[in-house]
Amino acid sequence: MILTNSVSVAVPGPDLNAGTRGADDSARIVIVDDDPGLRELLTGFLVDHGLRAEAVASGAALRTRLAHRPCDLVVLDMMMPGEDGLSVLRALTQTQDPPRVIMFSALSSEIDRVVALELGADDYVTKPSSPREILARIRSVLRRQRAQLAAGTSPDPADPAPTERLVGAASPVQSHDLVGFAGWALNCRMRTLTAPDGTNVRLTDGEFQMLHLFVAQPQTIHSRDDMIATLGRSDGPAKGRTIDVNISRLRRKVQRHDRTELIRTVRGNGYIFMPDVSPL
């Protein structure tokens, strides 16, 4: 079955429930799309594969639904009449404890993906797309969420531990799960960031990896090429742009709670993390 704006085509494939039913069946998923046929098809597919999924037709309907019952993840159409998906996404990211968001769009250009990710989306899927891909993307985002929230457990095996991937020999976080800088606290095991006022700041996987690199090597100029190599992203200009996107998003989230300049741009050279970092 391929999802477009109005057509579904049956495609045979493996049973994605095999060995995974129950892993995500407590997660609450909301589909937001103005196409009733697509809503019905995708919601039914997700329910058949063990998720608690429902659908609404607009951003206004989503807000009404969230006012009564929170959800864990939203699959959000980008091109809806009236209030578009980006406006809905922007509003969601401003709420307390926002849900994860996967954008679902017929727009496939790099700039469209970058804009959605910069505004806070956790993933971006283009139409037409198989429901199996949507299911796999949902499960991937939920796995990352569990890795961030589960105390005392390792991150997803598919995602190497950040301390193994990013930290050098002299890093203050090499043997400490909790580090502090300028009144902030970063829990490297739970992947959580706490502002000086005690607010928990949600980080995407890319934002966490970027911050983890900075606290591992503070007061050091990091070029974009070095960061691409260190973070394992070496496949072209789009990945270099992802570095800039994650830094921009990280700065914006930090500045909501603290106007201190933590990340400084060194023109023509890269970025430097300004504060001292110490174990807590």
Side-chain angles (χ1 to χ4, degrees):
M1 183 187 302
I2 302 297
L3 297 181
T4 66
N5 284 330
S6 58
V7 178
S8 66
V9 180
V11 177
D15 180 7
L16 297 188
N17 271 345
T20 60
R21 186 178 292 279
D24 300 314
D25 57 5
S26 63
R28 295 157 296 184
I29 314 299
V30 178
I31 313 300
V32 186
D33 199 293
D34 62 301
D35 184 332
L38 189 148
R39 292 198 305 271
E40 180 179 357
L41 285 168
L42 184 52
T43 303
F45 184 87
L46 297 179
V47 169
D48 287 346
H49 286 77
L51 275 71
R52 296 165 56 190
E54 58 187 284
V56 296
S58 66
L62 174 65
R63 281 189 286 273
T64 299
R65 192 269 183 208
L66 294 180
H68 294 89
R69 300 185 308 282
C71 73
D72 299 288
L73 185 145
V74 174
V75 179
L76 178 59
D77 184 25
M78 191 165 176
M79 298 177 64
M80 294 184 292
E83 184 180 18
D84 64 28
L86 290 179
S87 297
V88 178
L89 172 64
R90 189 180 294 107
L92 283 175
T93 59
Q94 301 296 322
T95 62
Q96 183 72 20
D97 194 22
R100 303 287 175 167
V101 177
I102 296 176
M103 297 301 295
F104 191 32
S105 175
L107 302 175
S108 59
S109 71
E110 178 187 340
I111 188 61
D112 294 313
R113 295 194 301 272
V114 166
V115 169
L117 294 171
E118 191 165 20
L119 287 176
D122 294 275
D123 204 346
Y124 188 101
V125 184
T126 57
K127 300 178 181 179
S129 182
S130 163
R132 292 179 177 86
E133 180 181 357
I134 301 295
L135 175 60
R137 299 290 188 113
I138 288 172
R139 285 176 170 164
S140 177
V141 171
L142 292 175
R143 283 197 302 269
R144 294 201 302 266
Q145 183 182 42
R146 288 197 301 272
Q148 291 174 335
L149 296 179
T153 60
S154 298
D156 187 341
D159 187 19
T163 51
E164 296 173 357
R165 178 164 47 187
L166 302 180
V167 180
S171 167
V173 302
Q174 185 172 16
S175 58
H176 295 84
D177 290 334
L178 187 64
V179 296
F181 52 88
W184 292 78
L186 177 67
N187 189 314
C188 302
R189 177 174 292 276
M190 296 180 65
R191 297 189 172 200
T192 57
L193 178 65
T194 304
D197 62 5
T199 303
N200 290 324
V201 178
R202 170 191 154 190
L203 298 177
T204 66
D205 183 63
E207 293 163 359
F208 169 79
Q209 290 182 26
M210 187 63 60
L211 181 58
H212 198 281
L213 173 60
F214 281 139
V215 300
Q217 300 175 31
Q219 301 171 2
T220 300
I221 295 177
H222 299 269
S223 72
R224 291 170 74 250
D225 289 343
D226 288 343
M227 287 187 286
I228 290 171
T230 302
L231 295 171
R233 296 184 168 98
S234 56
D235 53 343
K239 292 304 184 182
R241 175 60 178 153
T242 300
I243 295 290
D244 297 334
V245 167
N246 282 322
I247 288 177
S248 176
R249 287 168 51 173
L250 187 58
R251 277 174 164 161
R252 188 165 59 247
K253 288 184 177 182
V254 167
Q255 288 172 356
R256 291 175 187 168
H257 304 276
D258 185 354
R259 304 302 296 183
T260 303
E261 182 185 36
L262 300 182
I263 304 169
R264 176 175 296 176
T265 299
V266 183
R267 188 174 298 276
N269 289 282
Y271 302 94
I272 184 170
F273 192 68
M274 299 300 294
D276 293 324
V277 179
S278 59
L280 295 178

